[in-house]
Amino acid sequence: MEELPVPHNIRICNITCDSFKILWDMDSKSKDRITHYFIDLNKKENKNSNKFKHKDVPTKLVAKAVPLPMTVRGHWFLSPRTEYTVAVQTASKQVDGDYVVSEWSEIVEFCTADYSKVHLTQLLEKAEVIAGRMLKFSVFYRNQHKEYFDYIREHHGNIMQPSVKDNSGSHGSPISGKLEGIFFSCNTEFNTGKPPQDSPYGRYKVEIPAEKLFNPNSNLYFGDFYCMYTAYHYVILVIAPEGSPGDEFCKQRLPQLDIRDNKFLTCIEEDGVLVFRHAQDVILEVIYTDPVDLCLGKVAEISGHQLMSLSTANAKKDPSCKTCNISVGR
């Protein structure tokens, strides 16, 4: 009996965060005997990974021989923004249920994509459920060490410059490691209506009047929803001046929110004055995509404590939380 043809020239296309299409070439000899394809899919080894950590179990997919390209999908074994290796065998199922198989093809590598707007909209809808009522606020604030503000004054002429967002939050977030911006907070203490006096990031704080960053010339985008194995949840929002490079980046990748009517952060004109409100029951992380002049606000030392344990720098999302995860890779 002639051997089954070995797949070669493997190509991967139409890659999403939890699916891809695969096709290949093979000799026509014995092609009509092929009843199934075996696909060996593995996460690519990370040279820096912990040698003692449990390794992912290799996933061998058995699929009926269908016309190529064949779609492979499934959130139980594919995660977003993750490198994989894949190899293919052809197989012929025998009358006794066993398979005759070809040799394995060459191994090829590919990387899954970020969350699409569809996936982010699912996250957005889950976040809306727990956002809570809206509270008034008047300033955006940014906590840092004294040395940070000294450096901005001395080396950047008082201008805070955008930097690339870290990898905190959902693994599939399209803004992590890509979007440039400046991190601000706006949550207030329930009893005072003012920013909290404690800080995870440093003993100094710049407060910027809300209208300087958020106004009818701004666009607002939903960026992420996550938690860090805690009871409270974080929502990442992006404010981008209309027509700016940050605005163009977000417009292609993130769900846009109506600044006057959403569950997280609003700017509404009331009696000729802009009034600002934030959601009470989530912690908002606001990324502003343009440079910001310290002269727009004031810098002062906080009166509370520095609580480093509350920092979200490069924080990993809890993949088991039913509140903030959707049914694709984490």
Side-chain angles (χ1 to χ4, degrees):
M1 187 180 292
E2 289 188 10
E3 292 184 353
L4 292 172
V6 180
H8 61 275
N9 192 22
I10 310 293
R11 282 102 70 200
I12 308 291
C13 59
N14 295 85
I15 301 170
T16 72
C17 69
D18 64 348
S19 70
F20 62 92
K21 288 187 177 182
I22 185 169
L23 66 160
W24 56 84
D25 299 329
M26 54 187 168
D27 295 333
S28 57
K29 287 190 300 182
S30 301
K31 198 172 178 180
D32 56 344
R33 290 175 46 222
I34 297 172
T35 60
H36 290 77
Y37 302 134
F38 289 179
I39 299 177
D40 192 29
L41 182 68
N42 297 279
K43 280 187 181 179
K44 188 177 175 183
E45 285 292 333
N46 181 357
K47 292 179 181 177
N48 299 319
S49 62
N50 185 340
K51 292 180 181 178
F52 299 100
K53 187 178 179 183
H54 172 71
K55 291 185 176 181
D56 290 295
V57 177
T59 304
K60 184 181 286 187
L61 307 174
V62 179
K64 286 187 176 179
V66 296
L68 300 178
M70 182 176 71
T71 299
V72 179
R73 69 173 72 249
H75 65 266
W76 57 92
F77 57 78
L78 281 173
S79 297
R81 201 186 277 202
T82 303
E83 292 183 321
Y84 289 91
T85 62
V86 64
V88 186
Q89 278 179 319
T90 57
S92 177
K93 192 171 186 178
Q94 307 300 292
V95 291
D96 60 2
D98 285 342
Y99 290 92
V100 174
V101 296
S102 72
E103 293 182 12
W104 283 105
S105 70
E106 77 272 21
I107 296 172
V108 297
E109 300 176 358
F110 71 99
C111 185
T112 47
D114 297 331
Y115 283 159
S116 68
K117 279 188 181 180
V118 172
H119 300 111
L120 287 172
T121 299
Q122 294 174 22
L123 272 182
L124 163 64
E125 290 169 352
K126 290 178 80 77
E128 287 176 334
V129 173
I130 69 161
R133 68 190 184 102
M134 303 291 280
L135 301 178
K136 286 185 179 180
F137 75 100
S138 60
V139 297
F140 289 101
Y141 55 94
R142 174 173 171 81
N143 293 91
Q144 277 287 353
H145 300 284
K146 182 177 182 296
E147 292 77 13
Y148 168 84
F149 293 112
D150 290 342
Y151 185 85
I152 295 299
R153 293 188 187 98
E154 293 172 20
H155 298 278
H156 290 284
N158 268 349
I159 308 297
M160 293 186 287
Q161 296 291 338
S163 59
V164 176
K165 184 195 171 296
D166 66 10
N167 288 315
S168 61
S170 300
H171 188 59
S173 171
I175 61 177
S176 292
K178 296 181 180 179
L179 177 68
E180 293 188 357
I182 304 171
F183 169 86
F184 286 94
S185 301
C186 65
N187 288 80
T188 55
E189 291 182 323
F190 178 76
N191 55 341
T192 66
K194 296 180 179 180
Q197 285 303 312
D198 296 330
S199 161
Y201 300 106
R203 292 202 55 80
Y204 282 77
K205 173 173 60 182
V206 60
E207 292 187 358
I208 308 286
E211 65 270 14
K212 299 293 185 182
L213 305 183
F214 191 37
N215 52 61
N217 295 319
S218 311
N219 283 329
L220 181 67
Y221 299 90
F222 174 84
D224 201 2
F225 177 44
Y226 72 101
C227 72
M228 304 181 298
Y229 303 89
T230 54
Y232 41 88
H233 282 79
Y234 297 83
V235 169
I236 298 178
L237 302 175
V238 182
I239 298 175
E242 191 167 7
S244 66
D247 189 36
E248 292 304 314
F249 177 95
C250 295
K251 197 168 290 183
Q252 298 172 33
R253 297 168 176 84
L254 306 181
Q256 186 169 351
L257 303 175
D258 185 341
I259 67 169
R260 297 171 298 277
D261 183 20
N262 68 81
K263 300 287 188 181
F264 311 110
L265 189 71
T266 59
C267 169
I268 304 171
E269 186 173 333
E270 298 178 4
D271 299 324
V273 178
L274 292 179
V275 177
F276 304 91
R277 293 180 175 87
H278 71 81
Q280 175 187 353
D281 294 341
V282 291
I283 299 173
L284 297 181
E285 298 184 314
V286 179
I287 297 173
Y288 186 76
T289 63
D290 269 16
V292 176
D293 194 331
L294 286 177
C295 295
L296 292 176
K298 58 181 181 179
V299 178
E301 187 172 4
I302 63 172
S303 60
H305 301 90
Q306 187 174 337
L307 306 174
M308 296 300 291
S309 62
L310 296 180
S311 170
T312 61
N314 287 305
K316 299 305 178 188
K317 179 175 183 174
D318 176 3
S320 64
C321 177
K322 291 182 170 58
T323 301
C324 62
N325 281 294
I326 55 177
S327 60
V328 295
R330 309 303 182 223

